[in-house]
Structure formats: C-alpha cells, structure tokens
C-alpha cells in the first residue's frame, strides 16, 4: 500500500510540475551521479579486528554529489514579496532506493517568503551548518569528503524548522530553530542506538513532547561576510536529545552511535571557516569543534583546507587535506583529490583518489558510509559520471 501511495504522490507531483512549469512558476530539476568505487582494507561491519580485503562497489550514498530530484517554485506577490517552496528527494542511483531516512522528500520540504528584509522558511531544510560548509570545502558532500570524518556534516538538515536568512551588501546572517530535529528513525535492533540501526539521516528525535520545551530541539546560527574575493563565517549549532517515537527508544547523535537519551544530553558545534578567490583558483578551509555532553563529555576537532582550480574551461582539479582529533585519541589524517572533465554544461565524468591515515585507535573509512579497521592506511579510487537536468 505504501508503494502505491508513494507512486501516486510522485505521479501527481510530476503532473503538477509540468503544468505549473508552463506558467513559469515551478522548475523540475535533479542530479544523477554514480560511479564505481574501489577501497583497500575494507571491513564488512564496524568493530572488525582485521580487514576482509579490498572492495569494489557502485556508489549509493554519494559520488561527487548525492543524486536527487526536486521541485522548486516561486510566485511574485508584488511589493518585493515572493512565495517560494522546495521539495527535494534523495535516491540511491545503484538501486533506486530512497535516501535521507527513507523519506520521499528527505532532502527538503519547505515553503517560505522572500522579503526585502530577508527570507523566512518553514519545514524540513538544510541548516546553517550545511550552508557554511558548502562555502568552505571544495569536496562538498562527495563520497570522499569530510563526511568520512563526521557523517552529520552532509546530513545537517532539520525537521520542524523555522529559518531566517539575509544577505545585506555581502554581510550575511541566518538562524534555524527546530522543535523536533529528526522525526525519522531507522529500523534495527542495535542496543547502542535504543533499538535503531545507526543512520545519520534518521536519528529518532521527533521532539514536540508535551511538558518538555527542549526535547529534540535544535538551534543553528550563522554570521559572516561573503565577498567575491574572500569570505569569513562563524557558525553555532546545538542539537538536543530526547525520547524516540517507539516505547523505550531514544535518540542518538548523528555523528556516531552515541545515545542522547534526554533533553539535557546535547551536541554543540562551533565552526569558523572561509574562502579566498584568485581568478580560477579557490582556496577554502576551516575548523569545527564539537562537544557531546551525556553521562560524560566527548569532543572532536576537525581541521580542513583545500583548493579548487579550473585548469581549462572543461577541466577542474580539487584537493583537500583534513585532520580529526578526539578525546579518546581516535585521530586520523585524510587526503583527497578529484579531477572533473565537463563533457557539456550538464554532464561530467570524474575520478577521485582518497587516502585515510588512521592511528592505532581510529577506523575512519576513506569512503563515507563504509567500514575499515583500526590503524588502517586505506586507499580509495572512484570513477564516476554525473548528469544534471
């Protein structure tokens, strides 16, 4: 029944989009991006003592960018006012499965109002952490990216969220407030996650609990300067825990299988980042401090820097170096390179090379969402193709 309803909703949305597009108010858009990934020293599950061997896989989480399709609309009300909306669905191109916690519009589902004094939006949307990250990392949410060190970063979206953003002569400010940061939960029986399989896109924290003003709340804020030649920004991000949807379940941290069983348990991030532009050369980087407070405190620090260069009108080169250090000394250095060849304005092919240098306690995989073992010096190679429509 669910599949029939989902199909009906998709068909209706497509019909409406085609009709509205003729009126110039709605755009149907998307990206299909997939490739073949090879990684050394791969593990089948977290916690393995020794690697199972190398692995060859078609990407599902992301290639150079996550695959998605969406509907985006705008209506002019006059006097500088516009109603806007966005519905965006992420999918796995290798199987066609839904992403982002198995939601039809898991990437975004919001409606808003543009005014001369800023933009207000309501619904599921990216928060200020995501916005700042896309301004300060050259790899974005690729399979080989900062997502390998902190899976929250490419999944920094909030359910039940109100947001405000304004750009005034390149000075920017914005904030989001969520009454329940993540209403989706993933199925499973892993005891460490209160009965839910770890999934950074579905962390089981719907909020809106009677008698609790802070359960599953999330606040993000951004302030900075975005000029054509350089930019600098500061971000604050706090998410709280709380009870889950099913009896006895609790929420968890989207960065790792770490329970946030009550509203007093929280994860707070502070980010400072920026960019400099020299013609065809872009240099970006930043630092992210994270502190999770539960029964004990857990902290991580990520430092990253990279460059992007248009070697030719149809050839782009990217490279990024990052490092993570944690309170339990699960430290690693991460090196990524990417070369992209533009076949046309909408189609490109690319290759990525990643190298993860774990210490004796760390087991970060070179490919986000996959597994390796402690102390692994893991190499990954990815060949992919991307088409935009």
């Amino acid at each position: 029944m669910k599949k029939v309803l989902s199909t009906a909703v998709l068909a209706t949305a497509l019909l409406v989009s085609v009709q509205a597009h003729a009126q110039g108010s709605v755009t149907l858009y998307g990206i299909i991006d997939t490739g073949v990934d090879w990684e050394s020293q791969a593990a089948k599950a977290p916690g393995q003592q020794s690697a199972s061997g190398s692995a060859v896989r078609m990407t599902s989480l992301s290639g150079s960018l996550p695959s998605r399709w969406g509907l985006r609309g705008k209506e002019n009300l006059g006097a500088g006012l516009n109603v806007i909306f966005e519905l965006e669905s992420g999918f796995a191109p290798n199987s066609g499965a839904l992403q982002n916690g198995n939601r039809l519009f898991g990437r975004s589902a919001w409606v808003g109002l543009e005014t001369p004094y800023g933009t207000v939006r309501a619904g599921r949307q990216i928060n200020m952490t995501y916005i700042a990250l896309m301004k300060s990392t050259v790899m974005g949410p690729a399979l080989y990216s900062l997502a390998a060190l902190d899976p929250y970063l490419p999944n920094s979206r909030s359910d039940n969220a109100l947001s405000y953003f304004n750009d005034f002569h390149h000075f920017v400010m914005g904030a989001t407030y969520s009454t329940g940061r993540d209403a989706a939960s993933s199925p499973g029986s892993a005891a460490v996650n209160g009965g839910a399989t770890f999934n950074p896109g579905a962390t089981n924290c719907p909020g809106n609990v009677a008698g609790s003003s802070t359960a599953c709340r999330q606040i993000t804020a951004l302030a900075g300067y975005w000029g054509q030649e350089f930019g600098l920004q500061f971000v604050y991000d706090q998410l709280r825990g709380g009870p889950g949807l099913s009896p006895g379940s609790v929420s968890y941290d989207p960065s790792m299988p770490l329970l946030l069983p009550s509203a007093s348990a929280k994860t707070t991030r502070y980010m400072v980042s920026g960019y400099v532009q020299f013609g065809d050369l872009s240099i970006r980087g930043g630092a992210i401090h994270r502190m999770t407070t539960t029964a004990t405190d857990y902290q991580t620090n990520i430092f990253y820097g990279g460059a992007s260069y248009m070697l030719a009108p149809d050839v782009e080169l990217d490279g990024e170096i990052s490092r993570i250090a944690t309170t339990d000394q699960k430290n690693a250095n991460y090196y990524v390179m990417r070369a992209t060849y533009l076949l046309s304005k909408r189609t490109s092919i690319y290759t990525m090379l990643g190298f993860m240098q774990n210490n004796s306690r760390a087991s970060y995989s070179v490919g986000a969402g996959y597994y390796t073992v402690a102390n692994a010096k893991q190499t990954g190679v990815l060949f992919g193709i991307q088409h935009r429509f």
Side-chain angles (χ1 to χ4, degrees):
M1 187 65 181
K2 287 185 177 180
K3 290 184 178 179
V4 174
L5 289 173
S6 296
T7 302
V9 170
L10 281 171
T12 303
L14 288 173
L15 288 173
V16 171
S17 71
V18 171
Q19 181 179 5
H21 185 66
Q23 301 171 2
S25 60
V26 175
T27 301
L28 171 65
Y29 66 93
I31 296 174
I32 303 175
D33 188 322
T34 190
V36 177
D37 166 59
W38 174 88
E39 295 181 18
S40 67
Q41 299 193 60
K44 297 177 181 178
Q48 282 187 206
Q49 297 301 310
S50 59
S52 301
S54 62
V56 178
R57 297 166 281 217
M58 182 168 284
T59 60
S60 60
L61 292 172
S62 179
S64 185
L65 285 173
S67 296
R68 84 290 296 263
W69 71 274
L71 301 169
R72 187 177 292 137
K74 185 173 184 177
E75 181 186 10
N76 188 340
L77 301 179
L81 300 178
N82 295 290
V83 173
I84 55 176
F85 77 87
E86 184 176 275
L87 300 171
E88 190 170 282
S89 178
F91 63 92
N94 67 327
S95 66
L98 290 173
Q99 297 280 35
N100 308 105
N102 198 36
R103 288 175 267 212
L104 177 59
F105 294 113
R107 291 184 60 86
S108 62
W110 55 261
V111 63
L113 186 65
E114 288 182 340
T115 79
Y117 309 102
T119 300
V120 179
R121 299 175 179 176
R124 176 169 172 80
Q125 55 192 292
I126 59 174
N127 59 40
M128 297 302 142
T129 299
Y130 190 100
I131 292 172
L133 191 69
M134 294 306 100
K135 279 285 186 179
S136 62
T137 173
V138 298
M139 303 310 298
L143 183 67
Y144 302 169
S145 69
L146 292 178
L149 303 180
D150 185 346
Y152 166 73
L153 296 175
N155 291 284
S156 46
R157 295 173 172 82
S158 304
D159 287 349
N160 306 294
L162 291 171
S163 73
Y164 171 80
F165 186 84
N166 194 14
D167 184 340
F168 183 75
H169 298 298
H170 303 301
F171 288 95
V172 296
M173 60 179 297
T176 64
Y177 177 75
S178 168
T179 60
R181 58 183 172 82
D182 194 350
S185 61
S186 54
S189 59
V192 292
N193 294 334
T197 302
F198 174 61
N199 182 341
T203 60
N204 198 33
C205 206
N208 304 295
V209 178
S212 177
S213 61
T214 55
C216 296
R217 298 298 197 260
Q218 184 173 18
I219 299 171
T220 69
L222 177 151
Y225 176 83
W226 292 351
Q228 293 184 348
E229 297 180 347
F230 71 92
L232 181 66
Q233 57 197 358
F234 303 89
V235 171
Y236 172 82
D237 182 331
Q238 184 187 92
L239 57 87
R240 289 184 175 269
L245 282 172
S246 56
S249 67
V250 296
S251 67
Y252 51 92
D253 191 305
S255 299
M256 61 177 59
L258 188 62
L259 293 179
L260 298 176
S262 67
S264 61
K266 60 185 178 181
T267 291
T268 305
R269 284 179 177 81
Y270 303 90
M271 176 195 296
V272 57
S273 57
Y275 61 89
V276 179
Q277 190 75 37
F278 300 101
D280 292 330
L281 174 65
S282 176
I283 300 174
R284 306 186 182 197
I288 305 171
H289 173 72
R290 164 184 162 237
M291 181 171 64
T292 298
T293 303
T294 55
T296 59
D297 290 342
Y298 186 81
Q299 299 184 37
T300 66
N301 288 296
I302 295 177
F303 305 93
Y304 62 97
S308 179
Y309 181 65
M310 292 299 300
L311 184 64
D314 53 1
V315 178
E316 184 175 16
L317 303 178
D318 306 300
E320 191 166 83
I321 300 174
S322 53
R323 175 174 173 77
I324 185 169
T326 72
T327 50
D328 55 356
Q329 298 181 1
K330 293 181 179 179
N331 306 337
N333 298 322
Y334 190 29
Y335 310 89
V336 182
M337 293 186 294
R338 175 174 60 194
T340 303
Y341 178 68
L342 303 175
L343 299 173
S344 69
K345 290 183 178 180
R346 298 190 299 169
T347 304
S348 61
I349 56 176
Y350 59 88
T351 182
M352 298 181 70
L353 174 65
F355 178 69
M356 184 70 75
Q357 185 180 24
N358 289 293
N359 71 358
S360 59
R361 296 189 178 188
S363 56
Y364 305 99
S365 175
V366 70
Y370 296 137
Y371 306 107
T372 189
V373 296
N375 204 37
K377 309 300 185 287
Q378 189 185 31
T379 301
V381 181
L382 173 62
F383 295 94
I385 182 170
Q386 178 187 120
H387 178 73
R388 300 170 181 247
F389 61 89

